[in-house]
Amino acid sequence: MRAVLMTAAGGPEVLQTVEREPPGIGTGRELLIRVRAAGVNPIDTKLRKSGTLYPDRMPAVLGCDGAGIIEQVGEQVSMFGAGDEVYFCSGGIGGDPGTYAELTVVDERFAAPKPQSLSFAEAAAAPLVLITAWESLYDLGELAEGERVLVHAGAGGVGHVAVQLARLRGARVCATVGSEEKGRFVHDLGAEEAILYRQDDFVQAARAWSAGQGVDLALDTVGGKTFYRSLAAVRPYGRVVTLLLPEAESGDWKEARLRNLRVGFEWMLAPMLQGPTARREHHGEILRHCGRWFDAGLLRVHLGRTFALEEAGRAHALLEQGSMTGKIALLVSG
C-alpha cells in the first residue's frame, strides 16, 4: 500500500511517499479501513518538526483523523460490517500508524458512521476538531444555554466548529478573526460578534459585547499572550479553556486569581497516551452525535483545501503559513 512516512524530525521534505506492507487486524474489535481521505492538523506539523511522541518507533505514519470504507472486521466487532463508511480519530502520534496511508486499523469503539451528507474529504477533516471543540465547550467548559462565549480564531479548524457547537447549545458567541471576510464567515456560522483582533482590542470588545460583565467562557485556540489577555475578558467566577500550554514569559495568572476563574486544559489526544478506553469511547460517541447534526443540516465543516496523498508536504507547508480558514484534507484513495 502507499503511505507517507515521516523519516526524521524536520521540514515538510521529511514526508516521503513509499510502498509498505499493509496492516492486519489484531484484536477482536478492530476494523481494517481503506482510507479515502485524511485530515491534516497542526499537531501533525508540530510532531513532524520536533519528533513524534514515540521516537523509538520511527519512521512514523502521521495523521490522526480520517474517513474510509471498512474492508475487514475482527471477530468481536458488533457495530460495523465490511463495506460500511466510517470516520474516526485514532493513531498518528508515533505509536499506532496514522491516516496518511491507504489502509489503517482502528478499534470500532473509536469510529462512527460517516455522515451521509459529507464527502470523504469533509468527513476526514472533522473528527479531531469536533472532539476538541466538544470537550472544550461541553465537558470542560460546561457551557449552558444563554451563556456568552468568546472563541479565538473563530474561522480556524477548531474555531469554526466551536462557534457552531456553542450555538447548538443555545449560547451566544463572539469570535476573534483576522479579516472582514473571516468575520462574514463566522457570522454565517452563528456568531453575533466578529472581533477584528488586528485592529481592535479583543478584551475591550468582548467586555462591551457582554455589557461590561465579561464573557462566561473563553476558548483559547491561540496560546501565548492571547491566553493571558483572555483572562481579563471573562467575568468573575467564569471559565477559560485553552488548547495550549501557557508560557510563563507571555504573562501571569493575576487576572485569573483576582476573578476566581476556573481554567481547563484540553488536548483530545491525551487518551492515546494514557490509555483510558472509556474516554476514547466517548470520542466515538461525540462523532456519532455530530454525525446526526451534520445530516440534519445543523452542523458543517469547512474544507478550505485538499491535496493528493503524495502532496502531504505541501499541505503541511500551507498549514504552517497560518491564517487558514477551515481545514485541509489529503485525498488518499479513490
Side-chain angles (χ1 to χ4, degrees), residues 246-318:
E247 302 167 348
E249 62 272 19
S250 296
D252 61 50
W253 294 86
K254 182 179 179 180
E255 286 290 346
R257 180 68 184 90
L258 291 174
R259 295 171 182 274
N260 282 341
L261 301 184
R262 180 153 50 91
V263 178
F265 298 92
E266 164 64 15
W267 192 46
M268 62 80 52
L269 297 174
M272 290 191 197
L273 292 174
Q274 300 162 356
T277 301
R279 195 66 199 179
R280 295 191 69 189
E281 286 189 65
H282 177 53
H283 291 176
E285 294 168 357
I286 291 171
L287 295 183
R288 285 188 286 275
H289 198 125
C290 289
R292 293 190 287 271
W293 278 342
F294 279 124
D295 287 339
L298 300 174
L299 182 63
R300 60 189 171 104
V301 61
H302 180 78
L303 188 61
R305 184 77 184 272
T306 62
F307 291 87
L309 177 64
E310 294 82 2
E311 298 176 305
R314 289 183 57 200
H316 277 221
L318 176 61

Side-chain angles (χ1 to χ4, degrees), residues 197-269:
Y197 68 87
R198 290 191 175 98
Q199 63 188 55
D200 298 321
D201 184 310
F202 75 79
V203 175
Q204 293 181 9
R207 292 181 65 83
W209 175 69
S210 57
Q213 300 301 307
V215 299
D216 299 287
L217 171 65
L219 173 56
D220 167 39
T221 67
V222 178
K225 293 182 179 180
T226 297
F227 166 76
Y228 288 105
R229 295 199 64 236
S230 295
L231 302 176
V234 179
R235 66 166 174 81
Y237 292 91
R239 294 94 69 200
V240 180
V241 175
T242 181
L243 309 187
L244 290 307
L245 181 66
E247 302 167 348
E249 62 272 19
S250 296
D252 61 50
W253 294 86
K254 182 179 179 180
E255 286 290 346
R257 180 68 184 90
L258 291 174
R259 295 171 182 274
N260 282 341
L261 301 184
R262 180 153 50 91
V263 178
F265 298 92
E266 164 64 15
W267 192 46
M268 62 80 52
L269 297 174

